[in-house]
Amino acid sequence: MTVNLPQLRAFVAVVEAGGFSAAADELGMSQSAVSHAVASLERELTAPLLVRSAPARTTALGERVLPHARTALSASRSVERIAAEAAETLSGTVRLACTPTVCQGLIPGLLRHWAEDQPGVTVRVFEGSSSEVSAWLADGVADAAIVIDPPPGPGIHLAEDHYRAVLPRDHPLADEPRVHIGDLADDSFLISPDNCEARIRTIHTRAGLPFAPAHRVRDLTTLIGMVQAGIGVTVLSEASRSLLPPDLTLLPLNPDTSRTLALTGPQNRPWHPAIPSLAQSAAGHLARPQF
């Protein structure tokens, strides 16, 4: 049995208009087309739905089918409306501000994912410090931002980003399933001041250990290169995994600490309508095992 929406639409129109001619006018179709649609529906159901009288009226079967036909047509209109709203929402350009670590570790993958999953939306990236990101969002330079540990508010949660130990693959601990921050005490500890130093300091405090980095390196690429060269070890967030060369490994760390990543819009003006869809898409992407 194959019942389609044009058949149901013609049947309901005849009932509501009281006849085939009036229904044809209502639908903008010829009377023969309406008659054919209703007749084909009756053939599918193997029984008449209408008594061809003036006005046309339903048979007992037609009376039972009528409310379901109306429900199907209403659902179809709802689907069309949702699709139209989505087409309008999922379009345009979103200017996205991010800090360097987010830009380097997450944005390349997210841009590829959004290009496939949200093809109507163009995302333009603005990289800056945390203070610059906040200022751009407030001043309207950016429409949205991926922020770290946002204060309570309308931000949309993307992921929990856990901190990991970064070691050369020939390090004695490289094959361990998990390392304690105290296990790294014999290595020179490297830190990037802009890379969540406060959280890494907290990890040491929770473990009862002094925080005494041997080197402070501003650029994340330089920091990774120094670990690669065997100068020391460091702690980075899981989001940095894609930046690591093959000869480095990222290991779970005790005490376990994470940061919250959220996508948010400005507080002083309406959000770009595509932001919730971008956030939902990103959250699904970041929840995959590779993150």
Side-chain angles (χ1 to χ4, degrees):
M1 181 181 296
T2 303
V3 174
N4 57 49
L5 290 174
Q7 292 170 339
L8 297 177
R9 190 174 290 111
F11 167 58
V12 171
V14 171
V15 173
E16 294 179 346
F20 287 84
S21 178
D25 291 340
E26 182 71 23
L27 295 174
M29 300 168 58
S30 67
Q31 183 173 336
S32 62
V34 174
S35 178
H36 175 76
V38 174
S40 65
L41 177 59
E42 291 175 324
R43 284 194 299 272
E44 289 292 334
L45 301 180
T46 67
L49 298 175
L50 294 170
V51 176
R52 270 70 169 173
S53 59
R57 54 187 176 85
T58 55
T59 64
L61 176 62
E63 193 65 23
R64 293 175 62 190
V65 169
L66 183 60
H68 297 287
R70 285 175 170 151
T71 298
L73 294 175
S74 176
S76 173
R77 288 191 292 270
S78 296
V79 169
E80 291 170 354
R81 184 176 64 253
I82 291 170
E85 291 173 352
E88 181 179 353
T89 298
L90 303 182
S91 62
T93 298
V94 174
R95 298 164 298 176
L96 179 65
C98 309
T99 59
T101 53
V102 171
C103 276
Q104 294 172 26
L106 296 187
I107 289 301
L110 281 179
L111 289 177
R112 287 193 300 269
H113 174 71
W114 281 330
E116 296 177 358
D117 193 57
Q118 309 289 321
V121 180
T122 299
V123 178
R124 293 179 56 201
V125 176
F126 291 72
E127 180 182 314
S129 66
S130 295
S131 59
E132 287 175 323
V133 167
S134 298
W136 290 338
L137 201 57
D139 297 343
V141 173
D143 302 302
I146 295 179
V147 296
I148 298 168
D149 292 337
I156 303 170
H157 181 273
L158 296 182
E160 286 299 314
D161 188 16
H162 291 263
Y163 283 89
R164 309 297 192 208
V166 182
L167 311 175
R169 288 199 177 273
D170 59 0
H171 191 281
L173 300 174
D175 293 327
E176 295 294 323
R178 180 179 295 272
V179 298
H180 191 277
I181 190 68
D183 297 335
L184 306 178
D186 292 334
D187 295 274
S188 295
F189 195 80
L190 314 177
I191 187 69
S192 173
D194 290 336
N195 188 44
C196 305
E197 179 175 347
R199 294 173 185 82
I200 298 173
R201 185 187 296 273
T202 298
I203 294 173
H204 285 78
T205 300
R206 288 173 57 192
L209 297 171
F211 179 68
H215 301 282
R216 281 183 163 82
V217 182
R218 178 178 179 84
D219 185 78
L220 184 59
T221 303
T222 303
L223 179 69
I224 291 172
M226 291 176 69
V227 177
Q228 190 177 18
I231 296 172
V233 299
T234 191
V235 170
L236 295 175
S237 73
E238 179 70 24
S240 304
R241 181 179 293 275
S242 63
L243 302 177
L244 298 186
D247 54 353
L248 296 185
T249 186
L250 206 62
L251 296 179
L253 182 67
N254 279 331
D256 181 48
T257 302
S258 66
R259 61 182 186 174
T260 298
L261 302 180
L263 185 71
T264 189
Q267 296 183 355
N268 56 353
R269 65 184 187 280
W271 286 17
H272 189 293
I275 292 175
S277 296
L278 288 175
Q280 182 179 10
S281 176
H285 176 71
L286 296 178
R288 294 173 184 172
Q290 65 265 26
F291 179 69

